[in-house]
Amino acid sequence: MDIFSRFADFVTVSVHQLIEDGQVTPLQAVNTEKLVVELPREESHGDLACNAAMVLAKQVSMAPRELAGLLADKLAANEDIAVVDIAGPGFLNITLKPGIWPAELNAILSAGSVYGQSDIGNGQAVNVEFVSANPTGPLHAAHARGAIFGDALANLLAFCGFQVTREYYINDAGSQVDTLARSAFLRYREALGEERITIPEGLYPGEYLKDVGEALKTRYQDSLRNQPEVVTLPIVRSFAIDAMMDGIKADLRELGIEMDVFTSERDLVEQGHVDEAIGSLRDRGLVYRGVLAAPKGQLPDDWEEREQLLFRATEFGDDTDRPLQKSDGSWTYFASDVAYHADKLNRTGGALINVWGADHSGYVKRMTAATQALSEQNDMLDVKLCQLVTLLDKGKPVKMSKRAGTFVTLRDVMETVGADVMRFIMLTRRNDQALEFDYAKVTEKSRENPVFYVQYAHARASSVLRQEDIRGLTEQGQPDLALLSDMHEVRLIKQLASWPSVVRTAALTHEPHRVAFYLIDLAALFHGLWNAGRDNPALRFILESDAGLTRARLNLVAATAQVIKTGLNLLSVRSPEEM
RNA sequence: GGCCUCGUAGCUCAUCAGGAUAGAGCGACAGAUUCCUAAUCUGUAGGUAGCAGGUUCGAGUCCUGCCGAGGUCACCA
């Protein structure tokens, strides 16, 4: 258990003692859920700060500072605590006895690569659906953010004891894959030697389909050429989708992403799951035929009033009810998505997380509504939206045009900057903030490039540990960690001790960027300590004249390297030992 | 026009699912760098968190309204 949880538990026990002693009388059983022990923002506030008195004051009808006084007396009895101050509105500021922080290094080092792991997930299933790009072309740069976000989040949840499924939904049922098939068919004719093939407006002009055309030729020779479209379309479509998915999977693998499950929309439709899911909503009176009001403001050119099959999304907080069928009677994308979410709920029995691009933000309410209707619970779905990524090179936008089929592919970017840079940089911003990705900046080897900065801290730490091997300065046995009393050293230890709570918060809030920012801060403290050794040689890690202190410091260096490595692993970024 | 997301230092961004005097980097300014672990380092200045209300012991964080930016808006996916 980490130091913060340990003291939080101690405070909780103390609260209950006060109750037993009759010094405090709660109105009902006290709720300590919001009680936290954390590092105070200001170092002058001590080592640990606890909000217990403020959180509980109302529950026991006391003034926060009065309750704080009682608690402070109880806490003072703890053998690790030197002083407890009451500050501000009722904070308990705890100063620990010397040596308590350094002793944490033992716990960190003995936990090794599982330091920070927890069982807060308690084996609960969580399904993380991400990427889910249409199988109509290779992944482009914009897909990278969601892919990396989703994968890092899945790593985090698994690290916290959740049973995680990584899932990709293949939209292989709509008209876009028919367009893909028609485009691929033209490339097939081209491969068969037909000249003057032009790709008409509305079809996909991308060069990448030439390979599919060639492959179709190899597989079918010219046997498809003169068949009617009703015959060729399903064959070419399925062939092209498979080819696209092979490429997408290969790209994901390059990024270090391995999905557990691929679910096909077409399968859901063909196996009748859409009818089933809509039927189950109908049974609950949530489906009806009706006419939607025209949207306010600018009307679409071809708007006409029409009776449709609708889902009562408004009963679950959506702004309007949502259509389930197109005018030709086939299901809308939304309808199959309802079926898909029903399928995920049944299959996994746990919570769902969807990672979407910001252009789908208008879709969140209806999907949340549908999930509520299906699960009869209101917190089964969390949709995480990833904002746009702007690709730049030395500050100038990298041009892309999907129309012309010359968009920047994920593979292009990865070949330019490498998977590590790609993964880390995509997490250096909250998911709901737009991100600028500048080729020049992210490959720079300097303080300003966070990937480099963090990896370099690991490499530096590794090089110190290598020195130790070479020089054999230390002998076996437990070093006296209490020797680590310099301000820089203690700050670094506190940061290391905070790792478990960072992991926990990142997992529970579904915010993997917290790990990246934590690592940047950790690296900064480590580099800071390194630099302090310049001004003051007594602060260097390896001191020829003091084997005892050297051993203690090497423990600190080892713990730092280990936490950086664990953190980078969660982000699937390598931790180089030399750079 | 409706809905969604965002608005924090000159710039780029954090702020641990409400906590104390809102933090970093860049840039600016001032210094250091014969030795040393230098793909540099130390320090200083810089803020009414878009605006106005509300809830709370306490609000950048939650709620309402307005302003601004982006996204999106039946029969695409």
Side-chain angles (χ1 to χ4, degrees):
Chain A
M1 185 186 291
D2 67 271
I3 190 167
F4 303 99
S5 310
R6 214 160 67 224
F7 280 93
D9 283 359
F10 183 68
V11 176
T12 306
V13 168
S14 302
V15 169
H16 286 108
Q17 278 176 7
L18 286 174
I19 294 168
E20 275 171 40
D21 296 350
Q23 291 179 271
V24 162
T25 44
L27 303 171
Q28 9 181 292
V30 290
N31 177 353
T32 53
E33 247 174 52
K34 291 187 147 184
L35 186 156
V36 292
V37 170
E38 57 194 353
L39 286 180
R41 213 192 286 269
E42 285 281 323
E43 279 182 4
S44 63
H45 291 159
D47 291 308
L48 299 171
C50 181
N51 63 355
M54 277 129 39
V55 169
L56 299 173
K58 196 168 274 178
Q59 299 185 48
V60 300
S61 349
M62 278 175 99
R65 287 191 67 106
E66 190 190 352
L67 177 58
L70 297 175
L71 273 170
D73 291 343
K74 285 282 179 199
L75 296 180
N78 186 300
E79 59 178 8
D80 291 343
I81 292 177
V83 185
V84 181
D85 288 318
I86 300 162
F91 283 101
L92 290 162
N93 286 341
I94 300 168
T95 303
L96 298 174
K97 290 190 178 156
I100 302 299
W101 285 115
E104 281 300 294
L105 287 179
N106 284 326
I108 295 170
L109 287 166
S110 63
S113 62
V114 300
Y115 175 61
Q117 220 174 50
S118 71
D119 57 359
I120 48 171
N122 202 19
Q124 291 172 73
V126 179
N127 180 290
V128 186
E129 184 222 317
F130 59 112
V131 193
S132 298
N134 290 337
T136 53
L139 293 177
H140 46 269
H143 290 119
R145 191 170 186 184
I148 290 161
F149 176 90
D151 191 52
L153 177 56
N155 286 347
L156 256 176
L157 291 168
F159 198 61
C160 288
F162 288 90
Q163 196 65 44
V164 180
T165 305
R166 288 158 220 258
E167 182 153 341
Y168 186 118
Y169 182 48
I170 308 173
N171 297 130
D172 53 1
S175 58
Q176 292 190 2
V177 285
D178 292 345
T179 304
L180 171 74
R182 293 192 181 101
S183 311
F185 192 74
L186 287 179
R187 295 301 189 185
Y188 163 70
R189 282 168 46 195
E190 191 175 55
L192 287 172
E194 242 177 86
E195 285 174 24
R196 288 199 299 277
I197 293 278
T198 54
I199 308 293
E201 184 81 5
L203 294 194
Y204 302 132
E207 296 276 310
Y208 58 89
L209 287 177
K210 286 187 175 171
D211 292 343
V212 178
E214 288 292 341
L216 277 166
K217 175 186 159 196
T218 308
R219 172 76 176 73
Y220 294 99
Q221 286 87 44
D222 63 354
S223 66
L224 298 178
R225 187 178 209 157
N226 297 314
Q227 302 282 336
E229 194 182 79
V230 276
V231 174
T232 60
L233 191 82
I235 296 171
V236 174
R237 185 174 60 202
S238 141
F239 190 93
I241 289 170
D242 287 349
M244 293 301 108
M245 286 309 298
D246 285 348
I248 288 170
K249 286 175 191 175
D251 285 354
L252 290 176
R253 217 172 296 124
E254 290 283 305
L255 255 188
I257 297 171
E258 197 74 49
M259 294 286 175
D260 300 309
V261 177
F262 288 86
T263 299
S264 150
E265 182 187 3
R266 184 167 295 274
D267 286 353
L268 286 175
V269 176
E270 287 177 357
Q271 291 165 12
H273 287 115
V274 182
D275 306 74
E276 238 170 73
I278 303 306
S280 107
L281 291 179
R282 196 193 307 267
D283 293 345
R284 278 173 259 192
L286 297 171
V287 173
Y288 68 104
R289 296 204 71 86
V291 176
L292 283 181
K296 299 254 166 66
Q298 182 98 43
L299 277 182
D301 294 342
D302 53 351
W303 167 266
E304 57 180 83
E305 200 165 84
R306 175 188 311 143
E307 192 184 67
Q308 293 171 297
L309 191 68
L310 299 168
F311 163 61
R312 286 189 202 281
T314 44
E315 293 215 354
F316 303 90
D318 202 355
D319 315 298
T320 175
D321 291 338
R322 301 294 178 177
L324 296 165
Q325 268 177 343
K326 302 182 201 170
S327 49
D328 67 358
S330 64
W331 296 115
T332 58
Y333 177 78
F334 175 60
S336 48
D337 223 359
V338 170
Y340 176 48
H341 283 72
D343 178 58
K344 281 198 282 189
L345 287 166
N346 292 337
R347 193 151 33 84
T348 68
L352 308 180
I353 298 172
N354 292 351
V355 180
W356 289 349
D359 54 343
H360 287 62
S361 65
Y363 201 73
V364 174
K365 273 193 183 178
R366 82 188 68 170
M367 207 58 249
T368 308
T371 307
Q372 273 183 42
L374 291 164
S375 65
E376 299 184 331
Q377 292 178 64
N378 57 21
D379 54 356
M380 290 304 276
L381 175 65
D382 185 17
V383 180
K384 304 299 282 187
L385 296 177
C386 289
Q387 282 290 344
L388 293 178
V389 176
T390 316
L391 287 179
L392 301 172
D393 195 6
K394 295 181 190 127
K396 279 187 283 182
V398 177
K399 282 272 181 211
M400 56 179 131
S401 156
K402 199 175 177 183
R403 257 180 113 80
T406 58
F407 53 85
V408 179
T409 63
L410 184 146
R411 187 164 285 266
D412 290 338
V413 182
M414 222 163 10
E415 279 165 6
T416 311
V417 304
D420 279 351
V421 165
M422 186 89 161
R423 291 201 53 125
F424 196 95
I425 296 294
M426 289 293 175
L427 293 167
T428 54
R429 190 126 322 165
R430 295 177 55 97
N431 58 291
D432 45 20
Q433 293 276 0
L435 170 67
E436 283 188 356
F437 189 97
D438 191 313
Y439 289 171
K441 269 190 193 159
V442 300
T443 50
E444 203 171 278
K445 291 182 176 179
S446 76
R447 173 79 182 82
E448 286 122 85
N449 177 2
V451 202
F452 169 77
Y453 194 63
V454 172
Q455 287 188 320
Y456 186 46
H458 185 268
R460 264 184 163 174
S462 302
S463 93
V464 173
L465 298 171
R466 268 199 305 278
Q467 292 268 323
E468 188 269 333
D469 284 346
I470 294 163
R471 299 202 212 174
L473 275 172
T474 67
E475 60 270 49
Q476 298 302 311
Q478 283 293 315
D480 182 5
L481 295 173
L483 294 169
L484 301 173
S485 56
D486 182 81
M487 188 180 67
H488 291 89
E489 292 169 337
V490 175
R491 272 185 202 150
L492 181 54
I493 295 169
K494 286 180 181 176
Q495 179 77 1
L496 293 170
S498 307
W499 170 240
S501 59
V502 170
V503 171
R504 210 181 306 126
T505 308
L508 292 177
T509 55
H510 303 159
E511 293 180 346
H513 75 275
R514 289 175 190 272
V515 171
F517 281 98
Y518 169 85
L519 290 174
I520 294 168
D521 288 343
L522 176 58
L525 287 170
F526 181 73
H527 289 305
L529 183 51
W530 183 291
N531 293 329
R534 264 184 224 161
D535 295 336
N536 178 1
L539 284 176
R540 291 180 193 170
F541 298 121
I542 295 175
L543 299 171
E544 306 276 354
S545 58
D546 192 339
L549 186 52
T550 300
R551 285 164 62 210
R553 286 188 178 157
L554 289 172
N555 272 263
L556 177 56
V557 174
T560 305
Q562 177 199 295
V563 171
I564 293 177
K565 186 171 189 171
T566 306
L568 287 176
N569 273 345
L570 281 178
L571 309 182
S572 299
V573 174
R574 290 174 313 118
S575 309
E577 303 204 342
E578 291 179 70
M579 296 179 77

